[in-house]
Amino acid sequence: MNNRATTHSGHVVIVGRPNVGKSTLMNHVLGVHLAATTPKPQTTRNRILGIHTDGNYQLVFVDTPGIHLNAKKLLNRRLNKTAIGTLAEGDVIVFMVEAGNWTDEDARVLDYLREVSVPVILVVNKVDRVADKETLLPYLSDLSQRHAFAEIIPMSAFRQRDIDYFLGKLKNFIPERSFEFDEDDMTDRSMRFIAAELIREQLMNSLAQELPYALAVEIEAYEEGPKGVTISAAIHVEREGQKRIVIGKKGEMLKKVGMESRRRIAGIVGVPVHVKLWVKVKEGWTDNPRLLERFNLDRD
Ligand SMILES: Nc1nc2c(ncn2[C@@H]2O[C@H](COP(=O)(O)OP(=O)(O)OP(=O)(O)O)[C@@H](O)[C@H]2O)c(=O)[nH]1
Ligand SMILES: [Mg+2]
């Protein structure tokens, strides 16, 4: 006889403009640094699942690229398409904005959300950044006029008690359904994919403004041996000049990125990790359908 309590399971799609903290929220729910997060917009490029199983609830978070305006390059159009494409799979949508800010890009995201039939929860993130908390009330009241949100939750994705409150609210929207994944699954993505993301994260963190968008990381080998994991990755840039910057003086930049990404990846796999990096020039890859496909940027 099956005496297990009824299970609940559903997809929680997180959308919003770039840099509001979507991936940070997912990582803090999971308690693992799975998705790349950086202070720069357009960090996330793919749909990534983060699976949070707690008792008889399985919440499948769907992290998405930030929806943005002025998407001129094919890469940017793909990012928007990926994000918008995930809306259909949500049992509930989390629309994230940044406390105190409402931009044209936020408005564009909301336009897409007006078309969905499932509940939309508005998460107002980064409240820790608001010095004068009194300014928050008129801001929240203005947002509540813009759409019939199922909930409005101000929070900081860094604060555990905010995460706990958010999860508690979220559970009300998760239907009775059998689990889709094993209880200890954390993501739908391979460690190869996650490793490439965490290497790109460290590159984005280390490089100045424009260059991060010209980068793609491709794992050429991922070998598990008795001494740990050895990863060989190619970093693709668009121009020779960019290659020089990524390598850095006497290879210092590459060395730093290798060390930091090694630490991040080891934090997930739990064994020592070695990272070998190469830089290659692929002119115009951000507008090239064949190369976008090769770098996993064609589907989702
Ligand atoms: N102060 C503060 N910073 C936050 C909070 N949440 C996220 N951040 C920071 O905001 C920046 C962007 O976070 P991400 O999680 O990469 O944002 P994102 O929405 O996934 O961005 P894209 O992937 O580019 O769409 C990072 O520097 C985070 O550390 C928060 O609650 N408070
Ligand atoms: Mg992200």
Side-chain angles (χ1 to χ4, degrees), residues 104-230:
D104 290 349
E105 284 183 331
D106 293 315
R108 168 63 65 90
V109 181
L110 184 56
D111 283 343
Y112 288 112
L113 298 181
R114 293 187 203 285
E115 310 291 318
V116 306
S117 52
V118 296
V120 176
I121 297 178
L122 177 71
V123 164
V124 178
N125 192 32
K126 307 195 188 183
V127 291
D128 56 292
R129 282 233 197 122
V130 179
D132 180 2
K133 300 289 184 230
E134 289 198 359
T135 61
L136 216 59
L137 274 179
Y139 174 79
L140 294 176
S141 131
D142 176 62
L143 290 190
S144 69
Q145 313 278 307
R146 289 179 190 270
H147 187 73
F149 295 110
E151 294 277 349
I152 298 185
I153 308 178
M155 67 143 79
S156 167
F158 296 149
R159 276 203 299 248
Q160 190 57 44
R161 67 186 148 92
D162 290 3
I163 298 283
D164 293 341
Y165 178 83
F166 165 67
L167 289 174
K169 287 285 181 197
L170 208 50
K171 283 180 177 168
N172 298 326
F173 300 93
I174 306 300
E176 244 184 69
R177 198 184 279 151
S178 50
F179 285 179
E180 183 184 346
F181 294 94
D182 285 347
E183 291 182 25
D184 44 12
D185 282 352
M186 193 169 57
T187 183
D188 61 327
R189 294 290 182 170
S190 64
M191 248 338 279
R192 261 181 110 97
F193 176 91
I194 301 294
E197 286 294 277
L198 296 179
I199 293 168
R200 195 168 54 82
E201 172 184 73
Q202 293 310 323
L203 284 162
M204 283 187 76
N205 276 331
S206 304
L207 295 163
Q209 271 322 309
E210 289 308 316
L211 191 47
Y213 308 105
L215 295 169
V217 175
E218 186 181 32
I219 304 294
E220 296 189 327
Y222 186 102
E223 287 151 6
E224 289 169 85
K227 288 189 181 152
V229 174
T230 304

Side-chain angles (χ1 to χ4, degrees), residues 49-100:
L49 298 187
I51 304 153
H52 174 72
T53 308
D54 179 18
N56 56 337
Y57 278 81
Q58 183 165 79
L59 281 68
V60 179
F61 286 86
V62 185
D63 188 18
T64 62
I67 295 171
H68 53 286
L69 301 172
N70 295 323
K72 291 202 182 79
K73 298 215 173 207
L74 189 56
L75 169 65
N76 296 90
R77 294 200 294 277
R78 293 272 163 90
L79 299 184
N80 281 342
K81 195 170 163 214
T82 296
I84 293 154
T86 60
L87 293 174
E89 73 180 271
D91 292 287
V92 53
I93 311 280
V94 169
F95 171 33
M96 184 180 271
V97 297
E98 204 175 81

Side-chain angles (χ1 to χ4, degrees), residues 22-23 36 43-44 63-64:
K22 300 178 293 298
S23 305
T43 299
T44 304
D63 188 18
T64 62

